[in-house]
Amino acid sequence: MSNIVAIVGRPNVGKSTLFNRLVQRREAIVDSVSGVTRDRHYGKSDWNGKEFSVIDTGGYAVGSDDVFEEEIRKQVQLAIEEADIIIFVVDVEQGITPMDSEVAKLLRKVKKPILMAVNKVDNAMRDADAVEFYNLGLGDYFTISSINGSGTGELLDALAEKLEDAPEEKDELPRFAVVGRPNAGKSSFINALIGQERFVVTDIAGTTRDSIDTKYNRFGFDFNLVDTAGIRKKSKVKEDLEFYTVMRAVRAIEHCDVAILVLDATRGFEGQDENIFWLAEKNKKGIIILVNKWDLIEKETNTMRDFEAQVRKEIAPFTDVPILFISALTKQRIFKAIETAVEVFENRKKRIPTSKLNDTMLEIVKQYSPPAYKGKFVKIKYCMQLPTPTPQFVFFCNLPQYIRDPYKRFVENKLRELFDLKGVPIVIYFRQK
Ligand code: GDP
Ligand code: GDP
């Protein structure tokens, strides 16, 4: 049901280097995704037409050597539980170390696909040295150089074979994922929503371990909730691992149409919240932000406005994301939250007729044409929305290569202003015509 790839291995084998290579490839193809990449541990990529999420487990280890080893063991364990496919990276320069053997031992018990990548094989001479990795008992391996890219194509071919095809967009109920840091109030929000009237109609097994997709009918809407709150409490793995939160969020977000990001008002919009936000944005999911525990805030005249302004600054240029101030405790505005999520769900399916788009947008781009670049004038002739599941637009012009980011942002802002795409990530392409 999803394609989550985790990169595991001990420190310094080249996990981050491989991760960057896998993710940049994607960014080179998509020329104009709104928003920016910030978090380096999570990325979206594709190969042979199949999309996948990549998670680099490397960046999360901290602490002294002892803690370090324990952390790595935990992360590998988590990757085993949470990912769909695992890339195990080892280092031909160092050969097999005790820690490699330990990780291999964990991986040998796993039923999921495991691809072993012997990294730093920068030249053919090192191919022979890689043979020793057969001793890890994981069978065949791929020799790669994450630095110069050799061998990574073969690795990706093998990976793509194991990936699932993108599910067909079905005319289904909205799927909302309630995501956020531990203690933000996700469970409380869900409980407040469904109260005693919990109608569990279907329990679709998200994985073999747990169901995460549950259908509800509430406030006159039918919707599925993709829950990340309840499951955590059952897991045997340490709850405080940031990595775990990310893993859960990745899966929940992949399974949703709209991500409901719950913040703790007493803590503000923090790094981890931002990561989850961009995660949803990169997956082109609808987003709403709920600032929860609003009952705990001493309200001065401008508290709400200031809080909102701070969040909007962080998420620019995607600034028309609905932000609601709620309390799961007092149930303040929780109905409004679901109503807003439904609106965003509808916005995400929006199709703007070509004539309407051209009538308005061509006028605007004529009036504010792209700045001349190297003495050349860029002329936009025509635009249309692509028949993609989420809003993507293409603008045909004479010299697309001279359109710069500020102008793309200007166009995005205008589209948002004119066509109410509130809460929906959009993609804009400029193409030669
Ligand atoms: P991580 O700790 O596993 O994430 O490892 P990094 O990606 O940070 O890489 C550790 C070191 O190995 C860095 O100095 C990289 O430049 C280097 N490195 C990574 N991949 C390769 C490679 O394919 N060949 C060589 N020669 N060095 C590499
Ligand atoms: P989760 O980890 O995101 O599922 O968070 P929980 O729903 O377990 O909530 C964490 C803590 O915050 C619990 O002690 C809740 O009672 C408390 N809490 C949740 N929502 C609110 C709220 O709106 N107001 C107040 N005052 N406390 C809340």
Side-chain angles (χ1 to χ4, degrees):
M1 245 161 90
S2 53
N3 286 327
I4 299 176
V5 179
I7 304 177
V8 305
R10 61 178 178 79
N12 283 319
V13 292
K15 296 186 298 300
S16 314
T17 313
L18 177 62
F19 173 85
N20 287 336
R21 182 164 281 282
L22 297 185
V23 171
Q24 270 161 19
R25 178 180 301 285
R26 163 77 178 183
E27 277 161 8
I29 291 169
V30 178
D31 64 354
S32 156
V33 183
S34 48
V36 280
T37 353
R38 303 201 182 183
D39 44 335
R40 76 190 173 87
H41 310 300
Y42 165 85
K44 191 91 188 167
S45 190
D46 67 30
W47 189 256
N48 294 348
K50 288 183 182 172
E51 290 202 348
F52 57 100
S53 300
V54 205
I55 296 158
D56 169 20
T57 58
Y60 292 91
V62 280
S64 67
D65 276 2
D66 278 359
V67 180
F68 204 51
E69 284 202 25
E70 179 56 18
E71 282 292 300
I72 290 162
R73 206 188 50 72
K74 272 197 233 161
Q75 288 181 16
V76 172
Q77 195 60 51
L78 269 174
I80 289 171
E81 286 181 24
E82 299 293 324
D84 302 301
I85 300 176
I86 294 159
I87 299 179
F88 174 36
V89 185
V90 290
D91 174 353
V92 77
E93 280 179 359
Q94 298 285 313
I96 296 175
T97 71
M99 214 192 283
D100 290 331
S101 304
E102 230 195 280
V103 175
K105 197 169 136 197
L106 290 171
L107 292 177
R108 280 199 301 269
K109 297 181 203 140
V110 179
K111 299 244 161 45
K112 296 178 181 177
I114 292 165
L115 301 168
M116 177 161 58
V118 182
N119 191 33
K120 308 195 188 178
V121 182
D122 301 338
N123 53 59
M125 305 233 297
R126 286 183 172 177
D127 260 331
D129 298 337
V131 175
E132 73 162 302
F133 288 99
Y134 273 119
N135 293 325
L136 289 176
L138 289 166
D140 261 340
Y141 54 78
F142 295 84
T143 52
I144 64 167
S145 168
S146 298
I147 278 199
N148 70 28
S150 70
T152 53
E154 284 83 354
L155 176 67
L156 280 162
D157 284 345
L159 179 73
E161 253 174 51
K162 300 186 190 307
L163 295 172
E164 293 177 6
D165 292 314
E168 280 179 30
E169 288 284 317
K170 284 164 280 174
D171 191 25
E172 269 187 352
L173 296 180
R175 275 200 306 277
F176 301 150
V178 181
V179 291
R181 278 181 293 120
N183 289 317
K186 298 182 296 298
S187 317
S188 308
F189 172 67
I190 290 168
N191 289 337
L193 268 184
I194 59 189
Q196 298 306 313
E197 303 168 66
R198 186 170 176 142
F199 290 113
V200 181
V201 180
T202 47
D203 251 351
I204 303 156
T207 65
T208 47
R209 305 176 314 282
D210 281 302
S211 66
I212 57 174
D213 222 4
T214 309
K215 183 174 166 184
Y216 298 100
N217 177 294
R218 201 78 179 91
F219 314 121
F221 300 114
D222 283 326
F223 55 92
N224 284 308
L225 270 187
V226 186
D227 187 358
T228 54
I231 296 160
R232 165 170 54 88
K233 305 206 159 111
K234 283 187 256 157
S235 173
K236 52 185 183 296
V237 193
K238 267 269 167 52
E239 291 184 10
D240 54 3
L241 267 185
E242 185 199 9
F243 176 46
Y244 185 62
T245 317
V246 173
M247 278 291 218
R248 287 266 57 137
V250 170
R251 186 173 293 278
I253 285 170
E254 291 230 331
H255 286 262
C256 80
D257 300 300
V258 179
I260 299 180
L261 173 57
V262 182
L263 307 183
D264 182 337
T266 64
R267 301 190 55 176
F269 189 58
E270 297 177 332
Q272 187 60 19
D273 302 316
E274 282 193 43
N275 282 342
I276 298 174
F277 179 88
W278 291 116
L279 200 101
E281 192 272 341
K282 272 186 242 167
N283 276 287
K284 304 191 198 77
K285 304 298 187 176
I287 307 175
I288 73 169
I289 295 177
L290 303 182
V291 185
N292 187 34
K293 309 195 188 178
W294 198 241
D295 57 288
L296 293 177
I297 302 294
E298 293 274 350
K299 279 118 190 151
E300 312 285 334
T301 338
N302 292 330
T303 317
M304 204 180 271
R305 201 192 62 190
D306 293 347
F307 197 108
E308 195 178 322
Q310 187 237 329
V311 175
R312 292 209 190 278
K313 207 174 95 201
E314 301 290 338
I315 64 179
F318 183 17
T319 49
D320 59 356
V321 173
I323 300 175
L324 281 82
F325 296 82
I326 70 155
S327 168
L329 189 75
T330 68
K331 303 199 174 191
Q332 187 185 20
R333 283 190 280 273
I334 59 165
F335 164 66
K336 183 76 186 155
I338 288 300
E339 197 180 63
T340 307
V342 172
E343 276 170 32
V344 169
F345 175 79
E346 295 300 334
N347 283 349
R348 190 164 169 265
K349 292 193 301 191
K350 196 168 265 179
R351 290 268 187 275
I352 303 160
T354 305
S355 58
K356 200 168 157 193
L357 198 60
N358 281 282
D359 285 351
T360 48
M361 288 308 291
L362 285 191
E363 197 53 46
I364 288 168
V365 299
K366 209 164 88 190
Q367 211 172 342
Y368 304 93
S369 56
Y373 189 78
K374 294 182 179 162
K376 295 204 195 323
F377 291 95
V378 184
K379 205 165 173 313
I380 296 168
K381 297 168 182 168
Y382 178 73
C383 57
M384 63 183 283
Q385 182 174 356
L386 294 168
T388 44
T390 67
Q392 306 194 12
F393 301 89
V394 59
F395 286 75
F396 292 102
C397 56
N398 56 341
L399 297 162
Q401 67 273 34
Y402 295 136
I403 304 255
R404 307 280 103 181
D405 281 344
Y407 196 77
K408 283 181 188 168
R409 281 199 291 276
F410 165 76
V411 170
E412 170 164 354
N413 287 334
K414 285 295 169 198
L415 284 168
R416 291 189 177 285
E417 259 173 60
L418 286 165
F419 299 109
D420 186 12
L421 295 161
K422 189 157 55 56
V424 181
I426 64 175
V427 184
I428 299 168
Y429 301 95
F430 289 88
R431 288 282 177 266
Q432 179 92 46
K433 188 89 179 186

